[in-house]
Structures are given as structure tokens and as C-alpha cells.
Amino acid sequence: PSLRERGRVRVLFRALGLPVGVAAALAVAAWLALDPVLAELESLSGAAEEVKPALWPDGLRLVRQFPLLGIGRGAFATVYPALKTEPAQVTFTHLENSWLQLPVDLGVVPGLALLALFGWAWLAAARKPGLSRPMIGALAGAAGVAAHNLVDFSFELAGMALPFAVVLGLASRAMPRVRVPRAAGMAGVALLSALGGAGLS
């Protein structure tokens, strides 16, 4: 074969390398653990009866009742029993949805602002050209953790929250920079300190 044909064959092998590798890994995983995977898929039929999604309407009711400042961090176990519609005889300490928990705890504006910043940082980094493979993996992992927290509250665990915060911190470098005057920054720190002191008192 000529040099040009060899080059085409190399390009073809490179193009097929990733999909073939992924397909082979999935095939091996299915062969080794097919029964547990099928058992998990069969459990999806009962997802509509799960307790976790049943809490979300009550969370929205809390948002409507406390829209400005929320109920406060850590207050869910105390406030929720007054609105509880779930018949299970257990105490719920969290809403089982970290993203809905933010506006419940902090209020609509701060909660939605944090959600918007998280999404903005992730999208800005994901759309950046020339992403390194480690960053692609980190963003994929962050997206997986974010999806998982739609039905969990693992961000309350430092082992989950800190790596997620680090990834978003790295991702935020792709966001446009905003210069804040020193006086405005100091005023913001003083205001937050006063609010924090008021909350502690």
C-alpha cells in the first residue's frame, strides 16, 4: 500500500479506537456483572413509589412559605414535620434533593443564584476549546455527582462537597472576569460578617 493509504488506515484506526474501546469495556462489564445490572434495571419499575420524590412537593411548599430567606441551613428536620405529608414514620433531616434544598434553606434568590453560578461555571469550562483530558474527566465526574444529588444529599458530606467545589473552582476560570473595587469588596465582607454574626446570635 502507498503512503497515502497507510495514512488513511491510521486515521481510521484512531477514529475507531475510542468507540471500539468503550464498546469492548461495556461488553466485558455486561458479561461479568449482567445479573446485578438486570436486577437494578428491574427495580426501576418501582421508582414512582419511592419516598424521595414524594418529599419534593413539600419542599416547594416550604419555598412558597419562606421565599425570601428560606428556613435556614440545618433547620429542615425541625421545620418539615409541620408540613409532612409522607406517611413513613421516620425523621427526614434533608430533602433528598440537594438542588431543591438550596432555595429551601437560603431563599429563592440566593438559592437560584447559586444554582445559576454552578451551571454557568460548568458550561463555560465545558465549552472552552482545547480542554485537557483530566479536566474533561473532572467535569464529567462533577456532572455525574450533580445528577446523583437530584435524589440525594451527599453534598452534606465533606468527601463529596470538597472535590465538587474544587472542580467548580477550576471550571470558574473559564468564566468572564469581573473587577470588584476594593471598597466594594470590603463592604461586602463587612455585610456578610454582620449577617453571620446576627445569625449566630
Side-chain angles (χ1 to χ4, degrees):
S2 66
L3 186 60
R4 180 177 296 178
E5 291 176 348
R6 290 178 182 175
R8 289 177 180 173
V9 170
R10 288 176 185 170
V11 170
L12 179 63
F13 273 114
R14 288 177 183 172
L16 293 176
L18 181 60
V20 169
V22 170
L26 290 174
V28 171
W31 180 66
L32 292 175
L34 182 60
D35 290 338
V37 170
L38 290 178
E40 287 294 327
L41 290 176
E42 289 175 359
S43 69
L44 291 177
S45 60
E49 287 76 34
E50 278 288 327
V51 172
K52 294 180 179 183
L55 302 180
W56 301 345
D58 294 337
L60 292 175
R61 289 173 61 198
L62 284 172
V63 171
R64 285 197 299 268
Q65 290 191 18
F66 304 95
L68 294 180
L69 300 176
I71 63 173
R73 288 280 296 152
F76 188 80
T78 304
V79 176
Y80 178 64
L83 299 176
K84 182 179 176 184
T85 58
E86 172 56 43
Q89 297 300 309
V90 294
T91 299
F92 293 99
T93 60
H94 298 84
L95 192 54
E96 302 286 352
N97 183 332
S98 291
W99 304 114
L100 183 55
Q101 186 91 46
L102 280 173
V104 168
D105 287 350
L106 306 177
V108 174
V109 174
L112 294 182
L114 279 176
L115 291 176
L117 283 174
F118 291 161
W120 186 10
W122 192 93
L123 286 173
R127 295 179 62 185
K128 188 177 180 181
L131 275 179
S132 65
R133 290 182 180 177
M135 192 60 188
I136 292 172
L139 290 173
V145 171
H148 174 251
N149 273 270
L150 287 171
V151 290
D152 201 2
F153 55 93
S154 62
F155 285 145
E156 301 295 325
L157 307 175
M160 295 294 288
L162 288 177
F164 185 79
V166 169
V167 171
L168 284 185
L170 294 172
S172 68
R173 294 183 303 174
M175 297 171 69
R177 295 185 178 182
V178 177
R179 289 189 175 274
V180 178
R182 182 179 178 84
M186 296 302 292
V189 169
L191 176 61
L192 291 175
S193 299
L195 290 174
L200 286 174
S201 65

